[in-house]
Amino acid sequence: MEVIKGKSVFGGIVIGKIAFYKKSNEKIKRYKVDKPEEEVTRFDNAKQTALLQLDELYKKALTEVGEANAAIVQVHQMMIEDLDYLDSIKNIILTQGVNAEYAVGVTGDNFSQMFSTMEDEYMKERAADVLDISNRIVRVLNKEEDGRFKLTEPVIIAADDLAPSETIQLDKNMVLSFITRQGSTNSHTAILARTMNIPAVIGIGEELKQEYDGKYAIIDGFTGTIYIEPEENVLKEMEVKKKQDEEKKILLQKLRGQENITIDGKKINIYANIGNSTDIGAVLKNDAGGIGLFRSEFLYLEKDTFPTEDEQFAIYKYVAESMAGKKVIIRTLDIGADKQVGYFDLPLEENPALGYRAIRICLTVKDIFKTQLRALYRASAYGNIAIMFPMITSLEEVKEIKEIIQEVKAELAETGIDFKDNLELGIMIETPAAVMISDLLAKEVDFFSIGTNDLTQYTLAIDRQNPKLDKFYNPHHPAILRMIQLTADNAHKNGKWIGICGELAGDLSLTETFLKMGIDELSVSPGLVLGLRNKVRESDVSKILKNW
């Protein structure tokens, strides 16, 4: 038996056979062509076929991992249409008089190298994406299959790394687990594994050997441990752990309809985070008390141009009606940083996390902001909608937002359109600046929701997208916990409620800490709702010691 370790991405026990993901490694040959113009045409046709393949992949992703994660495929579609990328390929074909496969391969390598040397971590991640789309086009040119890894039995997929498109293409019913040599816990593939509820261990390094292909293994997704050809006693121990995990999931279903109340009588709201209306089924299935974060930017990410007021209204209305009076908190457009939308034509920035993003865009390009606000207020007549604004750093920003809202309400009233006048308005607490003036901000809004991902990033001065910084990224840092406590105290002093909608909301090791702090609401992925409810019901706040 051999034991190797990596980083846990999603918990669970898996027992099965390892299958190494096989990629096409055939070397691209360079040869001269008599008619370069015809080779350009051949490339254009291959590009269109690749786009059709990606469109099919996008539809598959919608049904399996939801609209928010399917947006990853759309990044590939946009990159294939990038003019610099296309011009480079055609220029190589025409000036060198060579075959399209070679031109695509060289361009892919050149662009990948360019991205990988950039300082910005978001742009670094595009290095793998440009290789992925280039390989896809080359396969089309060579009349190969679309690159889908064929599986005939359920297996543990092992790989150096997996591109998002490769992950989505896999037959979910045939994948027991992912294990990879490389990868960050914040990578697209890690996010997809969590969304697909597939146990995964990443960052194993060279200890994950090719010779393990076909060998029997156990994956402990809770601890990030992999047992190769396990001994009998380990197998029995893991089978018991697997059975206990499965029984726990069944027991959690019995918590549907139960209150989120501690042993000593403290209640808390447990809501769900969603990326689009297609996630509503999961929210209802897991009995969430409402929606604590609707990431409205995904309505923009999935479009080729700005979504209209009517398009947005229809989606907000559907979600509000489907939730049947339960609260639906919709965050206004939060793009920029690692969420880029091509048609916004945002400039490249050396440090986009500190740049032109979220509310800063909305308060600069006010027509876009007002269109969204009109749609939200129109939809408010059909349910219990609240609006939340991201990346707030000053009192002036909140006051300007409220002035724009008054303009929007006046326009709607003048045209006789129904809306609720007294919607709850809240802000995201994501910056140290917002924490330090939370006593002042609380006087201007109805609630706070803490975005712990960005709050941790900005407080610790750590790029959360950078895998090299994983060991320094500590969301349990006392500074973060003290900031949450300070914000909660200031909210309650002013009679306002406070929630948490970042990743920490689903961290069960902090649930009791949040209860002790007086947090009023926790919003998590739909699949985590019942587990969080169970943790709350097992807790006794009167016995929890303050330790931050």
Side-chain angles (χ1 to χ4, degrees), residues 520-533:
D520 303 295
E521 174 252 8
L522 294 170
S523 191
V524 297
S525 298
L528 299 179
V529 167
L530 294 175
L532 180 55
R533 176 174 296 163

Side-chain angles (χ1 to χ4, degrees), residues 216-380:
Y216 197 66
I218 297 173
I219 311 299
D220 186 340
F222 297 110
T223 64
T225 307
I226 301 165
Y227 303 89
I228 310 296
E229 295 191 324
E231 295 170 355
E232 190 65 27
N233 64 319
V234 173
L235 179 58
K236 288 180 179 177
E237 179 187 337
M238 289 295 123
E239 284 176 338
V240 170
K241 192 172 180 179
K242 185 175 190 290
K243 185 178 179 182
Q244 289 173 340
D245 182 47
E246 290 168 350
E247 288 174 347
K248 184 179 178 182
K249 289 175 181 175
I250 293 171
L251 285 172
L252 286 178
Q253 288 300 315
K254 295 181 180 179
L255 289 175
R256 285 178 54 82
Q258 300 295 311
E259 282 192 293
N260 310 311
I261 187 168
T262 64
I263 292 170
D264 58 320
K266 178 173 175 57
K267 293 183 180 180
I268 190 168
N269 288 320
I270 298 179
Y271 291 171
N273 298 335
I274 67 170
N276 211 315
S277 55
T278 54
D279 298 327
I280 290 296
V283 174
L284 298 176
K285 177 185 175 183
N286 289 282
D287 198 35
I291 293 172
L293 172 63
F294 182 155
R295 301 180 178 96
S296 70
E297 58 269 16
F298 286 107
L299 305 185
Y300 295 76
L301 285 165
E302 70 192 35
K303 299 282 290 182
D304 296 324
T305 186
F306 296 100
T308 66
E309 179 182 324
D310 285 342
E311 286 172 335
Q312 292 188 64
F313 162 69
I315 291 171
Y316 302 146
K317 174 176 177 285
Y318 168 76
V319 172
E321 288 179 331
S322 298
M323 291 304 293
K326 293 180 180 178
K327 187 170 290 184
V328 176
I329 301 173
I330 301 176
R331 180 176 70 188
T332 57
L333 178 62
D334 183 11
I335 64 163
D338 61 334
K339 287 175 285 191
Q340 297 289 320
V341 181
Y343 56 85
F344 270 76
D345 199 24
L346 299 178
L348 287 177
E349 299 175 296
E350 287 190 14
N351 196 339
L354 299 179
Y356 186 50
R357 59 174 296 197
I359 202 65
R360 297 166 184 175
I361 293 175
C362 291
L363 292 180
T364 303
V365 191
K366 294 182 182 178
D367 286 347
I368 295 173
F369 192 33
K370 289 181 75 172
T371 296
Q372 182 172 31
L373 289 172
R374 283 177 60 89
L376 286 167
Y377 269 91
R378 285 171 60 191
S380 70

Side-chain angles (χ1 to χ4, degrees), residues 140-153:
V140 174
L141 287 165
N142 287 335
K143 295 184 169 56
E144 296 177 12
E145 293 186 35
D146 64 3
R148 190 167 300 181
F149 185 46
K150 300 296 189 297
L151 297 170
T152 57
E153 61 178 326

